[in-house]
Amino acid sequence: MASEGLKQVLELLAAAPIAEGEKTVQEQRDGMVAATAAFPVAEGAIIEPVIANGVPGEWVSMPGASDKHAVLYLHGGGYVIGSPITHRSLSAAIAGETNSKLLVIDYRMGPEHACPAAIDDAVAAYQFLLDQGYDAANIAISGDSAGGGLTMATLVALRDKGIALPAAAAPISPWVDLTGNSPTLVSRADVDPMVQKDGLLQMADHYRGSLANDDPRVSPLFADLKGLPPLLIQVGDHETLLGDSEELDKRAKAAGVESTLEIWDEMIHVFHMFHFMMPEAAEANRRIGEFFRTKWGVAAANAAE
């Protein structure tokens, strides 16, 4: 049964229906900033601007965070909108749950910068973490929606470049298939208040540039996933992108990757962002923290340093 918090979120979303096709890219970007401006950031959160190997971003952490562990966080927004600012509430929540510092980057987006610019920025930021002295075994990567897809594309790029891989990754409601062929784009359309096929395809065109929609850099679902680190994939049952997570989990396991798929009943796209309203979202963020700390070899009881 849906929580009261979910009901409130659905009411808010219903009052502001999405109509991306009728808006310019800048209007969509401004709209996301406005929509997330009131999302509370955890009290005491430490926000520090940073340039990570030429990529702008910010460090997000909570007091007492470990100086040994870091998460590269890649924000969502269809590779077209979103920023560290729009995701600051979520990144601070995950920073608290992981007891680590999050490096949240402002990677280049379409249509101004086509794929693989975003991947290049994410790889550069990850290398920055290594250059800062973080051991790969103490790093994780996470991201939501397009950021979840970018998480997977980044892992593949790191592997192909021979760079030491992080201990784990957690794609949240990942968008990994930009072809528009996933069956849940249709079967979940009536219950998803946030993401619809037409808007996705528009953003895919902005992002892919001259590359095909099924190019593994654009749609990492079609990449060779062998050798990637353990994955925790979280997605809501009421998402048009549900099929992306299901197929990613299937293909990862077939490639020998340790993958855990969590499908959250009645949950919507990137429900994690509503952690301050929904107990389900707070619990999902907690599980990401637990997953990373386990893969880092940090027991929950000893998480604080």
Side-chain angles (χ1 to χ4, degrees), residues 150-194:
L150 185 54
T151 293
M152 298 308 302
T154 301
L155 292 173
V156 171
L158 292 172
R159 181 203 61 199
D160 290 350
K161 290 176 180 293
I163 299 173
L165 293 173
I172 297 169
S173 301
W175 186 26
V176 291
D177 179 4
L178 277 64
T179 67
N181 293 326
S182 173
T184 58
L185 290 177
V186 176
S187 66
R188 293 298 193 278
D190 289 343
V191 293
D192 190 327
M194 299 179 70

Side-chain angles (χ1 to χ4, degrees), residues 1-268:
M1 181 178 296
S3 68
E4 196 60 37
L6 175 59
K7 294 176 183 177
Q8 293 173 6
V9 168
L10 292 175
E11 289 174 0
L12 288 174
L13 293 172
I18 297 173
E20 288 93 343
E22 302 172 7
K23 298 180 180 179
T24 66
V25 168
Q26 190 57 53
E27 287 172 338
Q28 292 179 54
R29 289 172 178 167
D30 292 343
M32 189 171 193
V33 171
T36 57
F39 286 15
V41 177
E43 184 176 355
I46 303 167
I47 312 295
E48 305 168 287
V50 63
I51 302 295
N53 273 351
V55 182
E58 58 188 34
W59 287 112
V60 180
S61 62
M62 296 301 296
S66 167
D67 59 4
K68 298 178 181 177
H69 302 93
V71 176
L72 174 60
Y73 193 84
L74 306 168
H75 71 79
Y79 297 107
V80 175
I81 67 176
S83 71
I85 293 175
T86 62
H87 283 65
R88 194 172 282 167
S89 174
L90 176 57
S91 60
I94 293 177
E97 295 295 351
T98 58
N99 191 50
S100 70
K101 293 185 72 173
L102 261 66
L103 175 59
V104 189
I105 61 169
D106 198 7
Y107 58 85
R108 288 172 291 171
M109 300 186 294
E112 297 89 347
H113 304 282
C115 183
I119 301 172
D120 293 341
D121 285 354
V123 169
Y126 181 83
Q127 184 63 56
F128 172 79
L129 290 175
L130 297 178
D131 294 343
Q132 292 294 301
Y134 288 98
D135 191 305
N138 291 331
I139 301 175
I141 303 180
S142 185
D144 61 280
S145 194
L150 185 54
T151 293
M152 298 308 302
T154 301
L155 292 173
V156 171
L158 292 172
R159 181 203 61 199
D160 290 350
K161 290 176 180 293
I163 299 173
L165 293 173
I172 297 169
S173 301
W175 186 26
V176 291
D177 179 4
L178 277 64
T179 67
N181 293 326
S182 173
T184 58
L185 290 177
V186 176
S187 66
R188 293 298 193 278
D190 289 343
V191 293
D192 190 327
M194 299 179 70
V195 177
Q196 294 296 317
K197 182 175 180 178
D198 288 348
L200 285 174
L201 291 178
Q202 182 184 73
M203 286 182 160
D205 285 343
H206 285 321
Y207 175 61
R208 66 185 179 87
S210 62
L211 300 176
N213 279 349
D214 61 356
D215 186 295
R217 291 167 292 180
V218 176
S219 295
L221 180 67
F222 306 116
D224 176 6
L225 303 178
K226 292 178 182 176
L228 299 189
L231 304 175
L232 172 63
I233 306 167
Q234 294 181 329
V235 67
D237 184 55
H238 286 191
E239 293 197 44
T240 56
L241 289 177
L242 171 62
D244 285 44
S245 289
E246 293 176 320
E247 189 64 21
L248 175 61
D249 176 65
K250 177 182 176 181
R251 294 188 181 216
K253 287 174 176 172
V257 176
E258 177 189 330
S259 181
T260 301
L261 173 64
E262 294 183 354
I263 301 175
W264 290 68
D265 189 41
E266 298 186 67
M267 290 296 104
I268 58 175

